[in-house]
Amino acid sequence: MKKYVLKRDQNSVPERLTRYRSELNEEQFRVVTAPPKAALVVAGAGSGKTRAITYRVAYLIEHGVSPQRILLATFTNRAAREMLRRVEALTGSQNVHRTWGGTFHRIANLILRRHAVSIGFDSNYSILDSEDARDFISVCIDEAVIDTKAKRFPKAEVIQSIISYANNTDQPIQDVIIRQYPHFEPLTFQIERVDTIYQSRKQERNVMDYDDLLLNWKRLLVEKKEIADIYAEQFQHILVDEYQDTNKLQAEIIDLLAGKHRNVMVVGDDAQSIFAWRGAHFANIYEFPTRYPEAELYKLETNYRSTPEILGLANTSIAGNRKQFPKSLTAIRASRDFKPALVPCSDVEQQSAFVASRILELRDEGVGLEDIAVMYRSHYHSIELQLELTRRGIPYRTQSGVRFFEQAHIKDVISYLRIIVNPRDELAWKRVLKMIPGIGNATANRVYDLVASSADTRALAVGSDDPDSTAPPSLTVGLLENVITSGKVRATQPFKNFIVLLELLVQQENRNNPSKQIELVLTHGYEQYLQENYENSDVRTEDLKGLATYATRYTSTEDFLSELALLSTESFKEPQPLVGEEIIDGAESDELLTLTSVHQAKGLEWKAVFIIWAAEGKFPSPRSLKEIDSEEEERRLWYVAITRAKDELYLTYPLLMTDYNRQTVLQKPSRFITECPATLYEIWNLEEESPLLPPGHAEIATPDEYIN
């Protein structure tokens, strides 16, 4: 076969192409004008990778590549639309919309609509969203004839998570259960049976879930060579954004499509690979040069976001990782003569007070609340701070959209405490009753009516052994047992366990100890309930243990609940659409501070960033360190947190804390702090303002031996 190289008139290249060199830095220009071959672009934080990808697509089109021969895979459809809109502005081409741009799932759907018949589906298949898929799995559990009452079976949401993780990581379900859900190992066979029915029923009913779009796309490319050849030929150039976040299945699809031309350019930052817990495969980017030995390596190391002082800390910190593509971010911005501040605090209350005080100072200095963020490794680390912000009237949003005390598992456990303090709390009673297997709305209503109509509920409020009580011991427990004998509810073991738990909660040593009460709820069935109902049960359990630790400072359950009620009486919330004739008091209330976990902050930036609980045992998370190579992922998470800051960075941790056993524990700074030279920080020693003490009397000294 004779090869003919098509020559084009160079004078026909639009004049705007000459602007590329002036509009891009040297690193970006090399990426944009790279020759057609495999390329790995390691794009450091704040280095303008989106700009590089956009100009790369424009460059290809202006050099004669047809838009329909370009595949641009991104992690949101919005990102793809914005990139292609900018490409159209750069090139002036009216055909840019013909580029295959979007998420992996969108592109998979476009291809499967054409070829679904080849793998046993009709082209008009329906796509199940997450909620539809859960409902479908519930039906499959019923069809599997599993006795979910003989041994409590995981809910559809958990089964869905197991199946999805197995699909996206290319692992058997059995292996996923052993590694991620060991408490369900005895049920492996039944779970696999549900999956078999689920897969079969979907094909019979001509429906696919989100994972199926990728699975069937790969299946099409593997099983139908003639179709695979069409797309391997069509996609002359493939670009993948955020490649470090791809899973194994997505990387395999790209490799199949790139098999002929091998003009695949992947862009990402190995130092920001932080989503292994949801299936992202770090080896995709780290081993790319192994799969494509001919690949050219490009680095974007010029940072447009942060000050040199912040980048100095980030570079030194990430250097501790063994598996990485070494790089050193260089700041375009001039120094502000402000080193990252390391702020040890006496305890968690002082940590919250410092953060709130400094935020108010920054606002007075002209930094808006919208330009400030507080980050943490785990959501429960924000408990004390949320209450402190509420007391001071500082409006805030949580990046997840759900405030800590508004989460379902927190409200569940708090409901147990509410019925101890107020036995006539209807909402709390019905919430805890409906968590008992076999009890629905009707039964919960009947049980509550019996409890509420009895004057004997006082025994539950004061405790069966309260010396001031005239009620006989365990009267309310007896009342609930009468509910069983009356036939209002069946005498199931879970209901009997509920009665035992209530009896424990009101015992003399427990009834005014909210921390112990939370622990009892966890250990007497609720932890198992989390495992069976939520795919992220370990994170929710960690939240509740953190809540128990926080509750140690209260000597009364009533005081604890009253304090939490502060959050439900806030005058500020997320901005809402106007309803009726609402009066706007001004735009100032729309200005909100951001509270966020580091995972949810990826891709964002703020002028000032606070990283709280930067202590060993908190960041890195001990739960996350159980996996191989997990310390390196935790260090990457730390790196992501640091590089969100543009101007000012504050690292805080309490020197002392009380655990939920009421033991005082000395805290050390995170290993990610101590492994960096002390010269990279400015250490702030806090002084408590008091008219009774001379200045400096309450100064907190930093333990120098903790800092190298």
Side-chain angles (χ1 to χ4, degrees), residues 449-466:
D449 288 343
L450 283 169
V451 171
S453 63
S454 171
D456 298 336
T457 51
R458 179 172 176 271
L460 182 61
V462 298
S464 59
D465 53 356
D466 192 301

Side-chain angles (χ1 to χ4, degrees), residues 95-343:
N95 295 323
V96 170
H97 67 278
R98 295 167 60 193
T99 303
W100 289 65
T103 63
F104 280 88
H105 294 86
R106 178 181 184 274
I107 297 166
N109 183 51
L110 291 174
I111 291 175
L112 288 171
R113 290 294 179 191
R114 296 179 173 186
H115 307 287
V117 175
S118 298
I119 53 173
F121 288 84
D122 294 334
S123 60
N124 64 339
Y125 61 83
S126 301
I127 300 175
L128 303 175
D129 62 23
S130 294
E131 186 176 349
D132 292 336
R134 279 197 299 274
D135 293 342
F136 207 149
I137 290 173
S138 294
V139 173
C140 294
I141 292 172
D142 293 338
E143 291 186 15
V145 197
I146 295 171
D147 189 350
T148 58
K149 295 176 183 176
K151 186 157 190 178
R152 291 182 68 177
F153 197 71
K155 289 290 172 58
E157 179 183 355
V158 180
I159 300 293
Q160 180 186 30
S161 178
I162 293 172
I163 294 172
S164 179
Y165 191 86
N167 288 337
N168 287 291
T169 58
D170 197 20
Q171 295 182 68
I173 283 179
Q174 181 180 7
D175 291 355
V176 172
I177 291 174
I178 291 172
R179 292 183 181 181
Q180 307 284 339
Y181 303 85
H183 42 280
F184 292 139
E185 193 172 347
L187 301 172
T188 299
F189 177 75
Q190 291 96 318
I191 293 172
E192 289 176 331
R193 194 159 88 233
V194 171
D195 178 51
T196 300
I197 295 172
Y198 180 54
Q199 304 305 333
S200 173
R201 294 289 187 273
K202 283 186 294 183
Q203 184 133 5
E204 290 174 5
R205 288 155 177 74
N206 197 37
V207 297
M208 299 185 196
D209 62 24
Y210 287 135
D211 292 338
D212 290 328
L213 293 174
L214 299 186
L215 286 167
N216 288 329
W217 186 11
K218 180 188 172 184
R219 180 182 162 198
L220 188 71
L221 297 175
V222 171
E223 295 180 5
K224 306 297 177 181
K225 186 177 183 304
E226 66 281 7
I227 296 175
D229 288 345
I230 291 173
Y231 290 100
E233 171 62 37
Q234 175 168 343
F235 296 133
Q236 184 180 352
H237 289 272
I238 298 174
L239 298 94
V240 185
D241 189 18
E242 301 287 6
Y243 190 68
Q244 79 282 346
D245 293 335
T246 55
N247 59 41
K248 194 172 181 181
L249 180 57
Q250 291 165 329
E252 289 171 346
I253 289 170
I254 292 299
D255 289 349
L256 288 166
L257 292 173
K260 179 171 183 180
H261 300 295
R262 296 183 73 82
N263 294 334
V264 54
M265 175 179 282
V266 299
V267 184
D269 186 1
D270 57 299
Q272 296 187 67
S273 179
I274 60 173
F275 293 113
W277 54 275
R278 71 180 188 195
H281 195 46
F282 176 72
N284 287 348
I285 189 167
Y286 186 65
E287 296 176 358
F288 185 84
T290 303
R291 302 202 315 281
Y292 294 84
E294 75 278 21
E296 188 78 23
L297 175 64
Y298 300 90
K299 294 182 181 180
L300 300 181
E301 299 176 290
T302 303
N303 178 281
Y304 292 87
R305 175 186 300 153
S306 305
T307 64
E309 292 81 5
I310 292 171
L311 293 185
L313 179 60
N315 288 332
T316 304
S317 183
I318 199 62
N321 272 9
R322 184 173 50 87
K323 288 185 176 180
Q324 65 167 311
F325 296 105
K327 59 183 171 297
S328 180
L329 296 180
T330 303
I332 284 290
R333 298 181 56 200
S335 170
R336 296 182 75 250
D337 196 26
F338 187 97
K339 290 183 179 180
L342 178 60
V343 190

Side-chain angles (χ1 to χ4, degrees), residues 662-673:
R662 296 183 182 267
Q663 299 294 313
T664 300
V665 180
L666 176 65
Q667 296 276 124
K668 294 183 179 181
S670 167
R671 67 187 69 181
F672 301 144
I673 290 176

